[in-house]
């Protein structure tokens, strides 16, 4: 069954970003019901929210008092999570002080769902002690906040008050919507992205990897209640909330970070595309071009997963295998060689899955001989399946 998110939109220039929030949530198969305050409708029309959510939008502007008295109860009960984005000083102030005088404030008052506010306002307003007191009071009562970001604001000034990015807000909502906390208090370590091997101050070699698969795994583990450390090579993905992200660039740095926390880890998933070779000699000066060929000698670098496999005690160790031929056989031999519990085998020759794609198609093999074929699906769904398999739920 679809999860239900009620989105309260209050009036500010950031209202247009709430459209993106709806669109991202609908793509994740979440049913979204939007309630707009009258001032929100001055910035963006209800029709835009209606088109994106495929649901009627509730607005104070058009509502008969009698109609919304009933409707606020049904939406309040329907909500699995209640998000207010953008949340103005006004709606925060109303809720903090028990004022329920319109559709949005009455519905928030009547809901038992988790309510998350994503404030957006001018910096001075945000820093006003009255607003801060209201936020503190609401937090102490169990309401959650996604702090605004810093940046250039619509009023022309710079400072804290920008609505946090729709991706981060949606990520937080998805975390709250996930009731399955079967990794609660487990320490999960995930590696993601590529590593780089510098040649000189301006050049390096690297592996193709956007980090999308590893980030999806880290988020899934976090959503299921785990304490997650994500050791990430360079990527363009925004660091997710509530995950300890450790940024590295070389094989050596990644190895040191993983080794440091390996003893405390319950599950380690190595989805990073680690560079196997590095230049024998790093040139501290930029290598100048000459007329002839350029030869660079490469030497083997650490096989991090192999070292983890040899140190492994009770940890569940999961590797990835990027293969262009004999997928299953090559992956199985990696699983055995590196002493893994599971391996996710990835056919890198497929053009519509794998690198940089939103989707993947993999086979998950276990050391006991299980073979699970996951047909083309989103990297998020692969991550969900992977943990279901690790936790022996399928
Ligand atoms: N891996 C690692 N350290 C390396 C290379 C790979 O920890 N130097 C890990 C990857 O994170 C992945 C698994 O080992 O989980 C397999 O990576 P892959 O690149 O498919 O295989 P390789 O071991 O490098 O073997 P080959 O290049 O021969 O396919």
């Amino acid at each position: 069954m679809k999860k239900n998110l009620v989105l309260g939109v209050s009036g500010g220039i950031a209202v247009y970003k709430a459209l993106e929030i709806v669109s991202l949530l609908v793509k994740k198969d979440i049913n979204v019901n939007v309630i707009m305050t009258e001032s929100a409708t001055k910035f963006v029309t209800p029709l835009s929210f209606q088109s994106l959510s495929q649901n009627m939008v509730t607005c104070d502007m058009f509502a008969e008092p009698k109609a919304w008295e009933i409707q606020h109860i049904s939406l309040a009960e329907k909500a699995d999570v209640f998000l207010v984005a953008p949340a103005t000083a006004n709606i925060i102030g109303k809720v903090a002080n028990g004022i329920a005088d319109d559709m949005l404030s009455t519905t928030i008052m009547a809901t038992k769902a988790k309510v998350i506010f994503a404030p957006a306002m001018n910096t001075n307003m945000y820093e006003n002690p009255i607003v801060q007191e209201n936020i503190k009071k609401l937090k102490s009562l169990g309401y959650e906040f996604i702090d605004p970001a810093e940046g250039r604001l619509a009023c022309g000034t710079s400072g804290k008050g920008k609505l946090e990015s729709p991706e981060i807000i949606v990520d937080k909502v998805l975390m709250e919507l996930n009731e399955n906390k079967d990794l609660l208090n487990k320490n999960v370590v995930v590696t993601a992205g590529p590593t780089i091997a510098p040649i000189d101050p301006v050049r390096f070699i690297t592996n193709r990897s956007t980090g999308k698969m590893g980030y999806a795994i880290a988020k899934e583990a976090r959503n299921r209640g785990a304490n997650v450390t994500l050791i990430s090579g360079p990527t363009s993905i925004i660091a997710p909330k509530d995950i300890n992200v450790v940024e590295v660039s070389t094989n050596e740095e990644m190895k040191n970070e993983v080794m440091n926390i390996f003893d405390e880890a319950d599950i380690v998933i190595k989805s990073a595309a680690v560079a196997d070779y590095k230049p024998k000699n790093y040139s501290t000066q930029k290598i100048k071009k000459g007329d002839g060929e350029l030869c660079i000698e490469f030497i083997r670098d650490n096989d991090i997963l192999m070292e983890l496999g040899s140190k492994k005690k009770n940890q569940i160790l999961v590797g990835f295998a990027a293969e262009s031929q004999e997928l299953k056989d090559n992956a199985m031999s990696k699983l055995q060689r590196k002493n893994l519990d599971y391996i996710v085998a990835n056919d890198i020759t497929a053009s519509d899955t794998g690198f940089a794609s939103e989707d993947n198609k993999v086979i998950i093999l276990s050391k006991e001989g299980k073979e699970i074929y996951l047909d083309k699906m989103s990297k998020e769904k692969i991550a969900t399946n992977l943990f279901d398999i690790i936790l022996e739920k399928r």
Side-chain angles (χ1 to χ4, degrees), residues 101-322:
D101 64 350
D102 62 7
M103 181 67 189
L104 181 56
S105 51
T106 44
T107 316
I108 296 173
M109 210 64 80
T111 191
K112 289 208 162 133
K114 164 79 79 191
V115 180
I116 307 170
F117 289 96
M121 65 195 81
N122 160 275
T123 309
N124 292 344
M125 268 174 101
Y126 183 68
E127 287 172 353
N128 185 308
I130 301 172
V131 174
Q132 286 304 315
E133 270 302 308
N134 287 337
I135 292 176
K136 209 165 117 198
K137 181 174 172 188
L138 288 171
K139 280 185 179 170
S140 75
L141 293 169
Y143 291 83
E144 292 231 14
F145 280 79
I146 301 173
D147 288 347
E150 288 197 22
R152 199 182 166 279
L153 302 172
C155 51
T157 57
S158 279
K160 199 165 179 175
K162 250 169 91 96
L163 184 71
E164 189 44 284
S165 77
E167 287 79 8
I168 290 192
I169 294 174
V170 167
D171 192 30
K172 172 82 182 164
V173 168
L174 295 177
M175 183 165 84
E176 290 299 337
L177 283 171
N178 191 325
E179 287 153 8
N180 172 12
K181 301 291 176 201
D182 50 6
L183 286 174
L184 196 65
N185 299 329
K186 297 280 180 210
N187 294 326
V188 175
V189 178
V190 182
T191 69
T195 64
I196 62 166
I199 296 169
D200 70 10
V202 291
R203 300 167 179 112
F204 57 81
I205 60 155
T206 189
N207 286 0
R208 281 185 69 185
S209 167
T210 57
K212 280 182 188 163
M213 190 65 241
Y215 276 65
I217 291 170
K219 286 183 195 172
E220 174 70 16
R222 176 208 55 192
N223 294 353
R224 293 165 92 134
N227 309 316
V228 183
T229 302
L230 173 62
I231 300 167
S232 174
T235 73
S236 55
I237 308 176
I238 311 171
K241 287 231 185 277
D242 300 317
I243 288 180
N244 174 29
V245 181
V246 182
E247 289 177 7
V248 295
S249 59
T250 63
N251 173 318
E252 190 73 21
E253 286 169 13
M254 183 170 278
K255 177 184 146 178
N256 292 340
E257 294 294 343
V258 186
M259 289 300 170
N260 276 343
I261 49 172
F262 189 54
D263 286 347
E264 289 81 50
D266 297 299
I267 302 174
V268 178
I269 303 182
K270 284 229 63 213
S271 68
V274 186
D276 285 317
Y277 291 89
K278 65 179 175 188
K280 187 172 180 191
N281 297 307
Y282 170 75
S283 168
T284 52
Q285 303 298 330
K286 182 182 171 198
I287 300 168
K288 302 302 279 179
K289 67 171 164 295
D291 291 334
E293 290 172 358
L294 171 70
C295 291
I296 299 172
E297 202 178 336
F298 284 94
I299 54 168
R300 276 292 306 270
D301 212 338
N302 309 298
D303 187 324
I304 308 172
L305 191 54
M306 184 84 112
E307 293 186 37
L308 293 174
S310 68
K311 279 188 68 181
K312 185 170 82 140
K313 293 197 178 88
N314 297 319
Q315 297 90 339
I316 294 176
L317 192 55
V318 184
F320 270 69

